[in-house]
């Protein structure tokens, strides 16, 4: 199974079984995936904004959490563990209703106990909006029989992938089809 197809199946599981994701970021779309990296986007709607009418930081924090899990899914984990740490740094306004926020998440380290991801967000002006990091406890997730970790190994190790596999948002050089 391709990384894109597997990540989309895990995302669908989040959407059908979780309480938060279907209420806040149900419209998020996975646009590309390869082992260790996922690209996604969210059309900004009213429920994503604050009282100033711009993208709410809580929406971005939710997307850091969820996309971190999807980065682990891109490495073949179906059950993606539990969060131990999450950080978001807000740099620019994310946009207003009708704008599109784009994200790219990388699996920086994929261990037997902990996994680390980093994400960046771009607004419709191609300005970096925020960056985030997410640490997950994954020891129990390795036991899920739905995992396909042997099928979704990256071409390079994490220390090389963190920078080597990042692409600009202007051109999807590494888009992987279904």
């Amino acid at each position: 199974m391709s990384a894109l197809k597997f990540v989309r199946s895990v995302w669908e599981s989040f959407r059908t079984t979780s309480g938060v994701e279907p209420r806040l970021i149900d419209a998020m779309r996975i646009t590309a995936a390869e082992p260790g990296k996922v690209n996604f986007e969210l059309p900004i709607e009213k429920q994503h904004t604050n009282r100033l009418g711009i993208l709410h930081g809580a929406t971005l924090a939710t997307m850091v959490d969820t996309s971190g899990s999807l980065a682990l899914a891109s490495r073949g984990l179906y059950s993606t563990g539990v969060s131990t740490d999450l950080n978001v740094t807000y740099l620019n306004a994310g946009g207003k209703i009708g704008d599109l926020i784009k994200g790219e998440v990388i699996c920086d380290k994929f261990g037997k106990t902990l996994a680390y991801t980093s994400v960046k967000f771009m607004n419709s002006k191609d300005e970096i909006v925020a960056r985030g990091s997410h640490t997950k406890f994954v020891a129990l997730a390795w036991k899920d029989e739905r995992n396909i970790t042997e099928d979704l190994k990256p071409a390079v190790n994490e220390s090389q992938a963190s920078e080597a596999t990042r692409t600009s948002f202007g051109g999807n050089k590494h888009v992987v089809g279904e």
Side-chain angles (χ1 to χ4, degrees):
M1 177 180 298
S2 74
L4 181 60
K5 188 172 183 179
F6 189 72
V7 168
R8 285 181 172 163
S9 75
V10 172
W11 172 232
E12 190 58 33
S13 173
F14 274 85
R15 292 177 68 221
T16 59
T17 61
S18 178
V20 172
E21 288 86 356
R23 286 177 177 76
L24 184 59
I25 58 171
D26 192 56
M28 189 174 86
R29 296 182 295 263
I30 311 306
T31 58
E34 62 185 62
K37 182 173 75 172
V38 176
N39 293 84
F40 55 95
E41 62 188 24
L42 177 74
I44 299 172
E45 300 172 346
K46 180 162 178 39
Q47 71 266 20
H48 304 129
T49 61
N50 60 25
R51 63 189 181 121
L52 300 174
I54 59 174
L55 186 63
H56 197 293
T59 302
L60 286 168
T62 300
M63 291 171 70
V64 169
D65 187 288
T66 302
S67 69
S69 296
L70 296 176
L72 301 184
S74 79
R75 291 292 307 273
L77 282 186
Y78 188 85
S79 293
T80 55
V82 295
S83 300
T84 64
D85 183 65
L86 187 135
N87 177 272
V88 187
T89 302
Y90 304 99
L91 303 166
N92 281 304
K96 59 187 182 328
I97 295 171
D99 289 344
L100 188 69
I101 188 85
K102 293 181 181 182
E104 179 178 89
V105 63
I106 300 287
C107 181
D108 296 313
K109 177 72 174 157
F110 190 60
K112 294 292 183 187
T113 304
L114 294 173
Y116 304 86
T117 66
S118 57
V119 62
K120 67 178 180 177
F121 296 96
M122 304 295 282
N123 64 18
S124 58
K125 298 175 187 173
D126 286 328
E127 299 168 327
I128 189 163
V129 170
R131 61 179 183 254
S133 62
H134 190 202
T135 306
K136 298 205 68 168
F137 175 74
V138 295
L140 300 178
W142 280 96
K143 298 176 182 181
D144 194 310
E145 59 190 34
R146 295 167 290 187
N147 292 342
I148 60 168
T149 54
E150 287 301 312
D151 298 341
L152 297 180
K153 290 187 176 183
V156 295
N157 68 36
E158 287 93 354
S159 62
Q160 296 167 321
S162 290
E163 292 305 319
T165 62
R166 288 200 184 271
T167 61
S168 67
F169 283 92
N172 287 332
K173 299 174 193 166
H174 299 286
V175 175
V176 178
E178 292 183 54

